[in-house]
Amino acid sequence: MTESRVWSNAVLPTLGVIIAVTLWWLATAVFHIDPFYVPSPADVVETFFRTPGFLLQESWITIQRVLIGFAVAVTLGLVIAVVLGSSRTIERMALPVLAAVNAIPKVALAPLLLVWMGFGDSPKIVMVILVSFFPVIVSTMAGLTSTPADLHELARSLKASWWQTFVKVRLTWALPQVFVGLKVATPLAIIGAVIGEVVNPDHGLGSVIAGSSANSDTALAFVALVLLAVIGVVMFYLVAGLERLLVPWAKAISS
Amino acid sequence: MITIDAVSQTFKGRSGPVEAIRDISLTIGEGEFVTVIGRSGCGKSTLLRMIAGLLKPTAGSVTVAGSPVREPRRDVAMVFQRPALLPWRSVEDNVMLPVEIFGWRKSEYRPRAEHLLEMTGLSGFRKRLPHELSGGMQQRVSLCRALIQSPKVMLMDEPFSALDALTREELAVELQRIHMDLGTTIVFVTHSIQEAVLLADRVAVLSSRPGHLRRVVEIPIPRPRTFGHNAHMEQVAGISAELHTLLLSDDHLQASPQT
Ligand SMILES: Nc1ncnc2c1ncn2[C@@H]1O[C@H](COP(=O)(O)OP(=O)(O)OP(=O)(O)O)[C@@H](O)[C@H]1O
Ligand SMILES: [Mg+2]
């Protein structure tokens, strides 16, 4: 059993990555693609090792922005969802507004954020929040309204107060769905940070990308993309790991 | 202990009113075990929910222990058709849920929870999560959760209907033992004639649509009763046949006006 776990949790994903990189390599080699357009994996690695310290530092800046923004977005999303979930009236009033805010193309907001907040971290973090809070709200609300009827009836028959029902039944029941939202929001948070940095470059991997296109340094842009992908994967697996830790029962009842 | 006085229930359905219960009156004594039997949709759950205070009768009134029922009470416990356990709570913590909600001292009730789990053969599973138990074991947990309130009245809505025949019989025998030990008043909804006869002091037979009380049948067989071979086979067979006829003839009543 543990052996098959290692197989499916570690070996298979690694194998998938190796295959993907090999295909990329083969494609650039077989079709003789000009590295100016698509550099091969070897070019990318080589470019990374030209300035590893600098790139890691820029990555760290982006990671910090993503993490701060994501944390705020999740907190905000959870709080808003709980407020909306506690009252039909508020939900009816607020949901269209939130949906409208979510529908605004965030790229269009980037210049405005520059005007409002100037350079530095805050416009990027705000972009992360704007891009990633909505899925958290939607999934948490879906979770809060999905409590099975028999659990509601149980709470009623015990004369549980609204608050007791909320904390002891509804909120915990919603957790698996909350995690669905978190998994959707994770990559969005990274996208948000990069949008902020490309539009309004100072530091971070998005700024590296913006700078590389100014210098026609495609390989450098690819290095930044690969680093972003790595950050995205790591964050995704962290969230998935947290899910396993917090809601080990979810899988068992959904199957 | 329970007085059901001319109770009716009419739901406002999507396509006009649905009369679920019509004019039921029944008095249930302290420590009595009454089973309610009737065909699917005849209003058994509705009746139980009105006794529990989960649903207000459209007419008539229900009294438990001398006071009219307006909302759920702590000395009345409900056991549902499905175990309704919280999937993230261990067996023990599920049993303790009413204690937490009532704001009782947990340390005081832990020994009682342990005792109940022992009584139902679950002491080895205290720390397990519900999904690690079989359906029968889950239903035992929900029985323990009802018993921890030390209820004067237990209302059970087809609690064993999702289980296989053998587990069902086993649990029914166990419930009978608990009833004899604790003297709790029990109203037990079922659509199994066998279960009704084994468990009840009296069987209330409901007719369908709208449900009203067709007959109350006394079961004068001494306890403890068992399934299968026993000294009262003939009596059991006789009563079962009577109940069967009552439930079947109800079908004719219902079919004739439509054709
Ligand atoms: N909330 C409701 N709104 C409208 N109609 C309802 C509602 N609850 C029950 N009914 C109707 O009342 C009738 C009795 O329902 P009830 O659930 O009490 O039946 P039952 O005897 O428990 O059936 P079963 O054996 O299948 O559980 C049914 O015809 C049902 O459609
Ligand atoms: Mg029912």
Side-chain angles (χ1 to χ4, degrees), chain B residues 19 22 29-30 46 51 65 81 96 123 134 163 168 173 199:
Chain B
E19 192 179 9
R22 179 187 289 173
E30 185 163 353
T46 307
I51 303 174
Q81 179 165 356
M96 292 293 283
S123 41
S134 71
L163 307 173
R168 239 180 127 127
V173 170
L199 288 169

Side-chain angles (χ1 to χ4, degrees), chain A residues 148 150-151 153-161 164 167-170 172-173 248-249 252-253, chain B residues 49 53-54 71-72 78 80 82 84-89 97-98 100-102 129 131 145 149:
Chain A
D150 38 0
L151 292 187
E153 190 101 327
L154 171 72
R156 275 192 65 207
S157 79
L158 293 172
K159 260 175 92 176
S161 65
Q164 283 175 324
V167 174
K168 288 190 195 294
V169 182
R170 290 180 68 199
T172 321
W173 185 268
W249 46 273
I253 57 165
Chain B
R49 296 180 68 226
L54 291 168
E71 53 181 1
M78 188 98 180
F80 301 93
R82 298 207 294 156
L85 303 174
L86 299 177
W88 53 88
R89 281 182 171 237
L97 181 74
E100 278 175 36
I101 288 183
F102 296 162
L129 290 178
H131 72 260
R145 181 180 59 197
Q149 303 173 229

Side-chain angles (χ1 to χ4, degrees), chain B residues 9-14 16 18-21 38-49 55 81 157-158 189-191 206 209 211:
Chain B
Q9 180 64 247
T10 306
F11 291 108
K12 289 184 198 71
R14 257 171 229 247
V18 180
E19 192 179 9
I21 294 279
R39 310 181 67 119
S40 186
C42 74
K44 305 182 294 292
S45 299
T46 307
L47 182 64
L48 217 57
R49 296 180 68 226
L55 186 69
Q81 179 165 356
D157 191 356
E158 303 190 34
V189 166
T190 178
H191 50 231
L206 297 193
R209 273 197 213 136

Side-chain angles (χ1 to χ4, degrees), chain A residues 7 13 17 20 26 55 66-67 74 77 81 109 139 158 161 178 207 216 254:
Chain A
W7 176 252
V17 171
L26 280 176
L55 284 166
V66 169
L67 287 182
V74 170
L109 280 181
S139 64
L158 293 172
S161 65
V178 172
S207 312
S216 309
S254 63

Side-chain angles (χ1 to χ4, degrees), chain A residues 215-226:
Chain A
N215 302 328
S216 309
D217 190 350
T218 326
L220 186 61
F222 265 76
V223 173
L225 290 179
V226 169

Side-chain angles (χ1 to χ4, degrees), chain A residues 166-192:
Chain A
F166 190 80
V167 174
K168 288 190 195 294
V169 182
R170 290 180 68 199
L171 203 57
T172 321
W173 185 268
L175 277 183
Q177 304 235 41
V178 172
F179 272 101
V180 173
L182 293 188
K183 284 182 191 164
V184 174
T186 316
L188 288 179
I190 296 171
I191 293 172

